[in-house]
Structure formats: structure tokens, C-alpha cells
Coordinates of all heavy atoms in Angstrom, one line a residue:
M1 N 27.2 58.4 23.1 CA 28.6 58.1 22.8 C 28.8 56.6 23.0 O 28.2 55.9 23.8 CB 29.6 58.8 23.7 CG 29.5 60.3 23.6 SD 30.1 60.9 22.0 CE 31.7 61.5 22.4
S2 N 29.7 56.0 22.2 CA 30.0 54.6 22.2 C 31.4 54.3 22.6 O 32.3 55.2 22.4 CB 29.7 54.0 20.9 OG 28.3 54.1 20.5
T3 N 31.7 53.1 23.1 CA 33.1 52.6 23.3 C 33.3 51.4 22.4 O 32.4 50.8 21.9 CB 33.2 52.3 24.8 OG1 32.3 51.3 25.2 CG2 33.1 53.5 25.7
L4 N 34.6 51.1 22.3 CA 35.0 50.1 21.3 C 36.1 49.2 21.9 O 37.1 49.7 22.6 CB 35.5 50.7 20.1 CG 36.1 49.9 19.0 CD1 35.1 49.0 18.4 CD2 36.8 50.7 17.9
S5 N 36.0 47.9 21.6 CA 37.1 47.0 21.9 C 37.2 46.0 20.8 O 36.3 45.8 20.0 CB 36.9 46.2 23.3 OG 35.7 45.5 23.2
T6 N 38.4 45.3 20.7 CA 38.6 44.3 19.7 C 39.4 43.1 20.3 O 40.0 43.2 21.4 CB 39.3 44.9 18.5 OG1 39.3 43.9 17.4 CG2 40.7 45.3 18.8
H7 N 39.4 42.0 19.6 CA 40.1 40.8 20.0 C 40.6 40.1 18.8 O 39.8 39.9 17.8 CB 39.1 40.0 20.8 CG 39.7 38.9 21.6 ND1 38.9 37.9 22.2 CD2 41.0 38.5 21.9 CE1 39.7 37.0 22.8 NE2 40.9 37.4 22.6
V8 N 41.9 39.7 18.7 CA 42.4 39.0 17.6 C 42.8 37.6 18.0 O 43.6 37.5 18.9 CB 43.6 39.7 17.0 CG1 44.1 39.0 15.7 CG2 43.3 41.2 16.6
L9 N 42.1 36.6 17.4 CA 42.4 35.2 17.8 C 43.0 34.5 16.6 O 42.6 34.6 15.4 CB 41.1 34.5 18.1 CG 40.4 35.1 19.3 CD1 39.0 34.6 19.4 CD2 41.2 34.8 20.6
D10 N 44.2 33.8 16.8 CA 44.9 33.1 15.8 C 44.2 31.7 15.7 O 44.4 30.9 16.6 CB 46.3 33.0 16.2 CG 47.2 32.3 15.1 OD1 46.7 31.4 14.4 OD2 48.3 32.7 15.0
A11 N 43.4 31.5 14.7 CA 42.6 30.2 14.6 C 43.6 29.1 14.3 O 43.3 27.9 14.7 CB 41.6 30.4 13.5
E12 N 44.7 29.3 13.6 CA 45.6 28.2 13.3 C 46.3 27.7 14.5 O 46.4 26.5 14.8 CB 46.6 28.7 12.2 CG 47.6 27.6 11.8 CD 48.6 28.0 10.8 OE1 49.1 29.1 10.9 OE2 48.8 27.3 9.8
A13 N 46.8 28.7 15.3 CA 47.5 28.3 16.5 C 46.6 28.0 17.7 O 47.0 27.4 18.7 CB 48.5 29.4 16.9
G14 N 45.4 28.5 17.6 CA 44.4 28.2 18.7 C 44.7 29.1 20.0 O 44.5 28.6 21.1
R15 N 45.2 30.3 19.7 CA 45.5 31.2 20.9 C 45.3 32.6 20.4 O 45.3 32.9 19.2 CB 46.8 30.9 21.4 CG 48.0 31.1 20.5 CD 49.3 30.9 21.2 NE 50.4 31.0 20.2 CZ 51.0 30.0 19.6 NH1 50.7 28.8 19.9 NH2 52.0 30.2 18.8
P16 N 45.3 33.6 21.4 CA 45.3 35.0 21.0 C 46.5 35.5 20.3 O 47.6 34.9 20.4 CB 45.2 35.7 22.4 CG 44.8 34.7 23.4 CD 45.3 33.4 22.8
R17 N 46.3 36.4 19.4 CA 47.4 37.0 18.7 C 47.9 38.3 19.4 O 47.2 39.3 19.5 CB 46.9 37.4 17.3 CG 48.0 37.8 16.3 CD 48.6 36.6 15.6 NE 49.6 37.0 14.7 CZ 49.5 37.2 13.4 NH1 48.3 37.0 12.8 NH2 50.5 37.6 12.6
V18 N 49.1 38.2 20.0 CA 49.7 39.2 20.8 C 50.4 40.2 20.0 O 51.1 39.9 19.1 CB 50.6 38.6 21.9 CG1 51.3 39.6 22.7 CG2 49.9 37.6 22.7
G19 N 50.3 41.5 20.4 CA 51.1 42.6 19.8 C 50.7 43.1 18.4 O 51.5 43.7 17.7
V20 N 49.5 42.8 18.0 CA 49.1 43.3 16.7 C 48.8 44.8 16.7 O 48.0 45.2 17.5 CB 47.8 42.5 16.2 CG1 47.2 43.1 14.9 CG2 48.0 41.0 16.1
P21 N 49.5 45.5 15.9 CA 49.2 47.0 15.8 C 47.8 47.2 15.2 O 47.4 46.6 14.2 CB 50.2 47.5 14.9 CG 51.3 46.5 14.8 CD 50.6 45.2 15.0
V22 N 47.0 48.1 15.8 CA 45.6 48.3 15.4 C 45.4 49.8 15.4 O 45.7 50.5 16.4 CB 44.6 47.7 16.3 CG1 43.1 47.9 15.8 CG2 44.8 46.2 16.5
R23 N 44.8 50.4 14.3 CA 44.5 51.8 14.2 C 42.9 51.9 14.1 O 42.3 51.2 13.5 CB 45.1 52.4 13.0 CG 46.5 52.6 13.0 CD 47.0 53.4 11.8 NE 46.4 53.1 10.5 CZ 46.8 52.2 9.6 NH1 47.8 51.4 9.9 NH2 46.2 52.0 8.5
L24 N 42.4 52.9 14.8 CA 41.0 53.3 14.7 C 41.0 54.6 13.9 O 41.6 55.6 14.2 CB 40.4 53.5 16.1 CG 39.0 54.1 16.1 CD1 38.0 53.2 15.5 CD2 38.7 54.5 17.6
E25 N 40.2 54.5 12.8 CA 40.1 55.7 11.8 C 38.7 56.1 11.6 O 37.8 55.3 11.7 CB 40.7 55.3 10.5 CG 42.2 54.9 10.6 CD 42.8 54.5 9.2 OE1 42.0 54.4 8.2 OE2 44.0 54.3 9.2
R26 N 38.6 57.4 11.3 CA 37.3 57.9 10.8 C 37.6 59.0 9.8 O 38.4 59.9 10.1 CB 36.5 58.5 11.9 CG 35.1 59.0 11.4 CD 34.1 59.3 12.5 NE 32.9 59.7 11.8 CZ 31.9 60.1 12.5 NH1 31.9 60.2 13.8 NH2 30.8 60.5 11.8
D27 N 36.9 58.9 8.6 CA 37.1 59.9 7.6 C 38.6 60.1 7.2 O 39.0 61.3 7.0 CB 36.5 61.3 7.9 CG 35.0 61.2 8.1 OD1 34.3 60.3 7.4 OD2 34.4 61.9 9.0
G28 N 39.4 59.1 7.2 CA 40.8 59.1 6.8 C 41.7 59.6 7.9 O 42.9 59.6 7.8
A29 N 41.2 60.0 9.1 CA 42.0 60.4 10.2 C 42.2 59.3 11.2 O 41.2 58.6 11.5 CB 41.4 61.7 10.8
V30 N 43.3 59.2 11.8 CA 43.6 58.2 12.8 C 43.1 58.8 14.2 O 43.6 59.9 14.6 CB 45.1 57.9 12.9 CG1 45.3 56.9 14.1 CG2 45.6 57.2 11.6
L31 N 42.2 58.2 14.8 CA 41.6 58.6 16.1 C 42.4 58.0 17.3 O 42.5 58.7 18.3 CB 40.2 58.2 16.2 CG 39.2 58.7 15.2 CD1 37.8 58.2 15.5 CD2 39.2 60.2 15.1
A32 N 42.9 56.8 17.1 CA 43.6 56.1 18.2 C 44.4 55.0 17.6 O 44.1 54.5 16.5 CB 42.7 55.7 19.3
S33 N 45.4 54.5 18.3 CA 46.1 53.3 17.9 C 46.6 52.6 19.1 O 46.7 53.1 20.2 CB 47.2 53.6 17.0 OG 48.2 54.4 17.6
G34 N 47.0 51.3 19.0 CA 47.5 50.5 20.1 C 47.9 49.2 19.5 O 47.9 48.9 18.3
R35 N 48.3 48.3 20.5 CA 48.6 46.9 20.2 C 47.8 46.0 21.0 O 47.5 46.3 22.2 CB 50.1 46.6 20.4 CG 51.0 47.3 19.4 CD 52.4 47.0 19.7 NE 53.3 47.6 18.8 CZ 53.7 47.1 17.7 NH1 53.4 45.8 17.4 NH2 54.5 47.7 16.8
T36 N 47.5 44.8 20.5 CA 46.8 43.8 21.3 C 47.6 43.3 22.5 O 48.8 43.2 22.3 CB 46.3 42.6 20.5 OG1 47.4 42.0 19.8 CG2 45.3 43.0 19.4
D37 N 47.0 43.1 23.6 CA 47.7 42.7 24.8 C 48.0 41.1 24.8 O 47.8 40.5 23.8 CB 46.9 43.1 26.1 CG 45.6 42.4 26.2 OD1 45.3 41.4 25.5 OD2 44.8 42.9 27.0
D38 N 48.4 40.6 25.9 CA 48.7 39.2 26.1 C 47.5 38.3 25.8 O 47.7 37.1 25.6 CB 49.3 38.9 27.4 CG 50.7 39.5 27.6 OD1 51.4 39.8 26.5 OD2 51.2 39.6 28.7
D39 N 46.3 38.8 25.9 CA 45.1 38.0 25.6 C 44.6 38.3 24.2 O 43.4 38.0 23.9 CB 44.1 38.3 26.7 CG 42.9 37.3 26.7 OD1 43.2 36.1 26.4 OD2 41.8 37.7 27.0
G40 N 45.3 39.1 23.4 CA 44.9 39.4 22.1 C 43.8 40.5 22.0 O 43.2 40.8 21.0
R41 N 43.7 41.3 23.1 CA 42.6 42.3 23.2 C 43.2 43.7 23.2 O 44.3 43.9 23.7 CB 41.8 42.1 24.5 CG 41.1 40.8 24.5 CD 40.4 40.6 25.9 NE 39.7 39.3 25.9 CZ 38.5 39.0 25.5 NH1 37.8 39.9 25.0 NH2 38.1 37.7 25.6
L42 N 42.3 44.6 22.8 CA 42.6 46.0 22.8 C 41.3 46.8 23.1 O 40.4 46.6 22.3 CB 43.3 46.5 21.5 CG 43.6 48.0 21.3 CD1 44.5 48.5 22.4 CD2 44.1 48.3 20.0
R43 N 41.3 47.6 24.1 CA 40.2 48.4 24.4 C 40.6 49.9 24.2 O 41.6 50.3 24.7 CB 39.7 48.2 25.8 CG 38.5 49.0 26.2 CD 38.0 48.6 27.6 NE 36.7 49.1 27.9 CZ 35.6 48.4 27.7 NH1 35.7 47.2 27.2 NH2 34.4 49.0 27.9
F44 N 39.8 50.6 23.4 CA 40.1 52.0 23.1 C 39.5 52.9 24.1 O 38.3 52.6 24.5 CB 39.6 52.4 21.7 CG 40.4 51.7 20.6 CD1 39.9 50.5 20.0 CD2 41.5 52.3 20.1 CE1 40.7 49.9 19.0 CE2 42.3 51.7 19.1 CZ 41.8 50.5 18.6
A45 N 40.2 53.8 24.6 CA 39.7 54.7 25.7 C 38.8 55.8 25.1 O 37.9 56.3 25.9 CB 40.9 55.4 26.4
E46 N 38.9 56.1 23.9 CA 38.1 57.2 23.3 C 36.7 56.8 23.2 O 36.3 55.7 22.8 CB 38.7 57.5 21.8 CG 40.1 58.1 21.8 CD 41.1 57.1 22.1 OE1 40.9 55.9 22.1 OE2 42.2 57.5 22.5
E47 N 35.8 57.8 23.4 CA 34.4 57.6 23.1 C 34.1 58.0 21.7 O 34.7 59.0 21.2 CB 33.5 58.4 24.1 CG 33.6 57.9 25.5 CD 32.6 58.6 26.4 OE1 31.9 59.5 25.9 OE2 32.5 58.2 27.6
L48 N 33.3 57.2 21.0 CA 33.1 57.4 19.6 C 31.8 58.1 19.3 O 30.7 57.7 19.9 CB 33.1 56.0 18.9 CG 34.3 55.2 19.1 CD1 34.2 53.9 18.4 CD2 35.6 55.9 18.7
D49 N 31.8 59.0 18.3 CA 30.6 59.6 17.8 C 29.9 58.7 16.8 O 30.6 57.8 16.2 CB 30.9 60.9 17.1 CG 31.4 62.0 18.1 OD1 30.9 62.0 19.2 OD2 32.3 62.8 17.7
P50 N 28.6 58.8 16.6 CA 27.9 58.0 15.6 C 28.5 58.2 14.2 O 29.0 59.3 13.9 CB 26.5 58.5 15.7 CG 26.3 59.0 17.0 CD 27.7 59.6 17.4
G51 N 28.5 57.1 13.4 CA 29.0 57.2 12.0 C 29.9 56.0 11.7 O 30.0 55.1 12.5
V52 N 30.4 56.0 10.5 CA 31.3 55.0 10.0 C 32.7 55.1 10.5 O 33.3 56.2 10.3 CB 31.2 54.9 8.5 CG1 32.1 53.8 8.0 CG2 29.8 54.6 8.0
H53 N 33.2 54.1 11.1 CA 34.6 54.0 11.5 C 35.3 52.8 10.9 O 34.7 52.0 10.4 CB 34.7 53.9 13.1 CG 34.2 55.1 13.8 ND1 32.9 55.5 13.8 CD2 34.8 56.0 14.5 CE1 32.7 56.6 14.6 NE2 33.9 56.9 15.0
R54 N 36.6 52.8 11.0 CA 37.4 51.7 10.5 C 38.5 51.2 11.5 O 39.1 52.1 12.2 CB 38.1 52.1 9.2 CG 37.2 52.2 8.0 CD 38.0 52.7 6.8 NE 37.1 52.6 5.6 CZ 36.1 53.4 5.4 NH1 35.8 54.4 6.3 NH2 35.3 53.3 4.3
L55 N 38.6 49.9 11.6 CA 39.7 49.4 12.4 C 40.7 48.8 11.3 O 40.3 48.1 10.4 CB 39.3 48.3 13.3 CG 38.6 48.7 14.6 CD1 38.0 47.5 15.3 CD2 39.6 49.4 15.5
V56 N 41.9 49.1 11.4 CA 43.0 48.6 10.6 C 43.9 47.8 11.4 O 44.6 48.3 12.3 CB 43.7 49.7 9.8 CG1 44.8 49.2 8.9 CG2 42.8 50.6 9.1
F57 N 44.0 46.5 11.1 CA 44.8 45.5 11.8 C 46.0 45.2 11.0 O 45.9 44.7 9.8 CB 44.1 44.2 12.1 CG 42.8 44.4 12.9 CD1 41.6 44.8 12.3 CD2 42.8 44.1 14.2 CE1 40.5 44.9 13.0 CE2 41.7 44.2 15.0 CZ 40.5 44.6 14.4
E58 N 47.2 45.4 11.5 CA 48.5 45.1 10.7 C 48.8 43.7 11.1 O 49.7 43.4 12.0 CB 49.6 46.1 11.1 CG 49.3 47.5 10.6 CD 50.3 48.5 11.0 OE1 51.5 48.1 11.1 OE2 50.0 49.7 11.2
V59 N 48.2 42.7 10.5 CA 48.3 41.3 10.8 C 49.5 40.6 10.3 O 50.0 39.6 10.8 CB 47.0 40.5 10.5 CG1 45.9 41.0 11.4 CG2 46.7 40.6 9.0
D60 N 50.0 41.0 9.1 CA 51.2 40.5 8.5 C 51.2 38.9 8.4 O 52.1 38.2 8.8 CB 52.5 40.9 9.2 CG 53.8 40.7 8.4 OD1 53.7 40.7 7.2 OD2 54.8 40.5 9.0
T61 N 50.1 38.4 7.8 CA 50.1 37.0 7.5 C 50.7 36.7 6.2 O 51.1 37.7 5.4 CB 48.6 36.4 7.5 OG1 48.0 36.9 6.3 CG2 47.9 36.8 8.7
P62 N 50.9 35.5 5.7 CA 51.5 35.2 4.4 C 50.7 35.8 3.3 O 51.2 36.1 2.2 CB 51.4 33.7 4.3 CG 51.5 33.2 5.7 CD 50.7 34.2 6.5
F63 N 49.4 36.1 3.5 CA 48.6 36.6 2.4 C 48.1 38.1 2.7 O 48.1 38.9 1.8 CB 47.3 35.7 2.2 CG 46.5 36.2 1.0 CD1 47.0 36.1 -0.3 CD2 45.2 36.7 1.1 CE1 46.3 36.5 -1.4 CE2 44.5 37.1 0.0 CZ 45.0 36.9 -1.2
Y64 N 47.7 38.4 3.9 CA 47.2 39.7 4.3 C 48.2 40.5 5.1 O 48.6 40.2 6.2 CB 46.0 39.5 5.2 CG 44.8 38.8 4.6 CD1 44.5 37.5 5.0 CD2 44.0 39.5 3.7 CE1 43.4 36.9 4.4 CE2 42.9 38.8 3.1 CZ 42.6 37.5 3.5 OH 41.6 36.9 2.9
P65 N 48.7 41.6 4.5 CA 49.6 42.5 5.3 C 48.7 43.2 6.3 O 49.2 43.5 7.4 CB 50.1 43.5 4.3 CG 49.2 43.4 3.1 CD 48.6 42.0 3.1
E66 N 47.5 43.6 6.0 CA 46.6 44.3 6.9 C 45.2 43.9 6.6 O 44.9 43.5 5.5 CB 46.8 45.8 6.9 CG 46.4 46.5 5.7 CD 46.6 48.0 5.7 OE1 47.5 48.4 6.4 OE2 45.9 48.7 5.0
I67 N 44.3 44.1 7.6 CA 42.9 43.9 7.4 C 42.2 45.2 7.9 O 42.4 45.7 8.9 CB 42.4 42.7 8.2 CG1 43.0 41.4 7.8 CG2 40.9 42.6 8.2 CD1 42.8 40.2 8.7
T68 N 41.2 45.6 7.0 CA 40.5 46.8 7.4 C 39.0 46.4 7.5 O 38.4 45.8 6.6 CB 40.6 47.9 6.3 OG1 41.9 48.3 6.2 CG2 39.8 49.1 6.7
I69 N 38.4 46.7 8.7 CA 37.0 46.4 9.0 C 36.3 47.8 9.1 O 36.6 48.5 10.0 CB 36.9 45.6 10.3 CG1 37.7 44.4 10.2 CG2 35.4 45.3 10.5 CD1 37.4 43.3 9.2
A70 N 35.3 48.0 8.3 CA 34.5 49.2 8.4 C 33.2 48.8 9.1 O 32.7 47.8 8.9 CB 34.2 49.8 7.0
F71 N 32.8 49.7 10.0 CA 31.6 49.4 10.8 C 30.9 50.7 11.2 O 31.5 51.8 11.2 CB 32.0 48.6 12.1 CG 32.9 49.3 13.0 CD1 32.5 50.0 14.1 CD2 34.3 49.2 12.7 CE1 33.4 50.7 14.9 CE2 35.2 49.9 13.5 CZ 34.8 50.6 14.6
R72 N 29.6 50.6 11.5 CA 28.8 51.8 11.8 C 28.6 51.8 13.3 O 28.2 50.9 14.0 CB 27.5 51.7 11.1 CG 26.6 52.9 11.3 CD 25.4 52.9 10.4 NE 25.5 52.3 9.1 CZ 26.0 53.0 8.0 NH1 26.3 54.3 8.2 NH2 26.0 52.4 6.9
V73 N 28.9 53.0 13.9 CA 28.7 53.2 15.3 C 27.4 53.8 15.5 O 27.0 54.8 14.9 CB 29.8 54.2 15.9 CG1 29.5 54.6 17.3 CG2 31.2 53.5 15.8
T74 N 26.6 53.2 16.4 CA 25.3 53.8 16.8 C 25.3 54.2 18.2 O 25.4 55.4 18.5 CB 24.1 52.8 16.5 OG1 24.4 51.5 17.1 CG2 24.0 52.6 15.0
E75 N 25.2 53.2 19.2 CA 25.3 53.6 20.6 C 25.7 52.4 21.4 O 25.7 51.2 20.9 CB 24.0 54.1 21.1 CG 22.9 53.1 20.9 CD 21.5 53.6 21.4 OE1 21.2 54.7 21.0 OE2 20.8 52.9 22.1
G76 N 26.2 52.6 22.6 CA 26.6 51.5 23.4 C 28.0 51.0 23.1 O 28.7 51.6 22.3
H77 N 28.4 49.9 23.8 CA 29.7 49.3 23.6 C 29.7 48.4 22.4 O 28.8 47.6 22.2 CB 30.1 48.5 24.8 CG 31.5 47.9 24.6 ND1 32.6 48.7 24.7 CD2 31.9 46.6 24.4 CE1 33.7 47.9 24.4 NE2 33.2 46.6 24.3
L78 N 30.7 48.6 21.5 CA 30.9 47.7 20.4 C 32.2 46.9 20.6 O 33.2 47.4 21.0 CB 31.1 48.6 19.1 CG 30.0 49.5 18.7 CD1 30.4 50.4 17.6 CD2 28.8 48.6 18.3
H79 N 32.1 45.6 20.2 CA 33.2 44.7 20.3 C 33.4 44.1 18.9 O 32.4 43.5 18.4 CB 33.0 43.6 21.3 CG 34.2 42.7 21.5 ND1 35.4 43.1 21.9 CD2 34.3 41.4 21.2 CE1 36.2 42.1 22.0 NE2 35.6 41.0 21.5
V80 N 34.5 44.2 18.3 CA 34.8 43.7 16.9 C 36.0 42.8 16.9 O 37.1 43.2 16.8 CB 35.1 44.9 15.9 CG1 35.3 44.4 14.5 CG2 34.0 46.0 16.0
P81 N 35.7 41.4 17.1 CA 36.7 40.5 17.1 C 37.1 40.0 15.7 O 36.3 40.1 14.8 CB 36.1 39.3 17.9 CG 34.7 39.5 17.8 CD 34.4 40.9 17.5
I82 N 38.3 39.4 15.5 CA 38.7 38.8 14.3 C 39.3 37.4 14.6 O 40.1 37.3 15.5 CB 39.8 39.7 13.6 CG1 39.3 40.9 13.0 CG2 40.5 38.9 12.5 CD1 40.3 41.8 12.3
L83 N 38.8 36.5 13.8 CA 39.4 35.1 13.8 C 40.3 35.0 12.6 O 39.8 35.2 11.5 CB 38.3 34.1 13.8 CG 37.2 34.1 14.9 CD1 36.1 33.1 14.6 CD2 37.9 33.9 16.2
L84 N 41.6 34.8 12.8 CA 42.6 35.0 11.8 C 43.3 33.7 11.5 O 43.7 33.0 12.5 CB 43.6 36.0 12.3 CG 44.7 36.4 11.4 CD1 44.2 37.0 10.1 CD2 45.7 37.3 12.1
S85 N 43.5 33.4 10.2 CA 44.4 32.3 9.8 C 45.3 32.8 8.7 O 45.0 33.9 8.2 CB 43.6 31.0 9.4 OG 42.9 31.3 8.2
P86 N 46.2 32.1 8.3 CA 47.2 32.6 7.2 C 46.5 33.1 6.0 O 47.0 34.1 5.3 CB 48.1 31.5 7.0 CG 48.1 30.7 8.2 CD 46.7 30.8 8.7
F87 N 45.4 32.5 5.5 CA 44.8 32.8 4.3 C 43.3 33.2 4.3 O 42.6 33.2 3.3 CB 45.0 31.6 3.3 CG 46.5 31.4 3.0 CD1 47.1 30.3 3.7 CD2 47.2 32.2 2.2 CE1 48.4 30.1 3.5 CE2 48.6 32.0 2.0 CZ 49.2 30.9 2.7
A88 N 42.8 33.4 5.6 CA 41.4 33.7 5.7 C 41.2 34.5 7.1 O 42.0 34.4 8.0 CB 40.6 32.5 5.7
F89 N 40.1 35.2 7.1 CA 39.7 35.8 8.4 C 38.2 35.9 8.4 O 37.6 35.9 7.4 CB 40.4 37.2 8.7 CG 39.9 38.3 7.8 CD1 38.9 39.1 8.1 CD2 40.5 38.5 6.5 CE1 38.4 40.1 7.3 CE2 40.1 39.5 5.7 CZ 39.1 40.3 6.1
T90 N 37.7 36.1 9.6 CA 36.3 36.4 9.7 C 36.1 37.3 10.9 O 36.9 37.4 11.8 CB 35.4 35.1 10.0 OG1 34.1 35.4 9.9 CG2 35.7 34.4 11.3
T91 N 35.0 38.1 10.9 CA 34.7 39.0 12.0 C 33.2 39.0 12.2 O 32.4 38.6 11.4 CB 35.3 40.4 11.6 OG1 35.1 41.3 12.7 CG2 34.6 41.0 10.4
Y92 N 32.8 39.6 13.3 CA 31.4 39.7 13.7 C 31.3 40.8 14.7 O 32.3 41.2 15.3 CB 30.9 38.4 14.1 CG 31.6 37.8 15.3 CD1 31.2 38.0 16.6 CD2 32.8 37.0 15.1 CE1 31.9 37.4 17.7 CE2 33.5 36.4 16.1 CZ 33.0 36.7 17.4 OH 33.7 36.1 18.5
R93 N 30.1 41.2 15.0 CA 29.8 42.1 16.1 C 29.7 41.2 17.4 O 28.8 40.5 17.5 CB 28.6 42.9 15.9 CG 28.4 43.9 17.1 CD 27.2 44.8 16.9 NE 27.1 45.6 18.2 CZ 26.3 46.5 18.3 NH1 25.5 46.9 17.4 NH2 26.3 47.2 19.4
G94 N 30.7 41.4 18.2 CA 30.7 40.6 19.5 C 29.9 41.4 20.6 O 29.3 42.4 20.3
S95 N 30.1 40.8 21.8 CA 29.4 41.5 22.9 C 30.4 41.7 24.0 O 31.5 41.3 24.0 CB 28.2 40.6 23.4 OG 28.7 39.3 23.7

């Protein structure tokens, strides 16, 4: 079983993005949801089975109403951060 956390950083402002609604989905079903904390972080309590999952971030920038990141769960802890600006974003597998 695996665990998951995320972090949303506002690259334009140079600080964490607080209060971003985030959903964790698999096969079209919502497994969990929450909002980023004062440090822009969200840790999901659910343990994840192997397979493809999606994080949906309701970022509401001038260009992106939401961002969906699909990723494959294998084992261990996964951290999926997003660096966000009004017209671009990037993500990577963090630690």
C-alpha cells in the first residue's frame, strides 16, 4: 500500500498556495478530497492500491480553472508537488 501527499507553490508570489481544493480520483470515483493548508500542503490519510490515480487541483488561475495530474502508484510514499503561475505549471515526483 502507498500513501500520498501534495504541495502547491505559487511561483509568481513566491509562497505556498493556501486553500486549494484537491480531489483524489481513481477510475472516475472520488477517493478523497481536501484543501491545502497554510503551507500549501495536503496529506491524504487513505492508503492507495497500485494503479493509475488522478489528482485534480481547482487552482482557478486566469488560464487554468483546474489541473489534473495522472500518476501511477506502485509502492511507498508518493509526493506530487505543483509549481503554479497564472499561465503555466509544472509537476514532478517529489520525496
Side-chain angles (χ1 to χ4, degrees):
M1 298 294 256
S2 296
T3 56
L4 174 68
S5 61
T6 189
H7 193 189
V8 181
L9 298 165
D10 186 324
E12 182 180 45
R15 62 178 176 257
R17 188 89 181 262
V18 177
V20 175
V22 183
R23 292 187 317 271
L24 172 62
E25 300 179 350
R26 180 164 184 190
D27 298 327
V30 176
L31 301 179
S33 63
R35 291 181 177 267
T36 57
D37 64 15
D38 289 342
D39 194 33
R41 296 177 185 273
L42 176 59
R43 183 177 192 90
F44 291 94
E46 293 73 16
E47 290 191 355
L48 306 179
D49 292 325
V52 176
H53 292 71
R54 286 177 173 70
L55 282 172
V56 181
F57 300 83
E58 296 178 30
V59 292
D60 195 28
T61 72
F63 188 67
Y64 298 107
E66 68 180 28
I67 296 169
T68 301
I69 306 295
F71 58 97
R72 189 175 317 278
V73 171
T74 53
E75 59 184 46
H77 179 72
L78 298 172
H79 183 65
V80 183
I82 288 185
L83 303 173
L84 180 65
S85 68
F87 300 102
F89 71 91
T90 188
T91 186
Y92 56 93
R93 182 178 176 173
S95 57

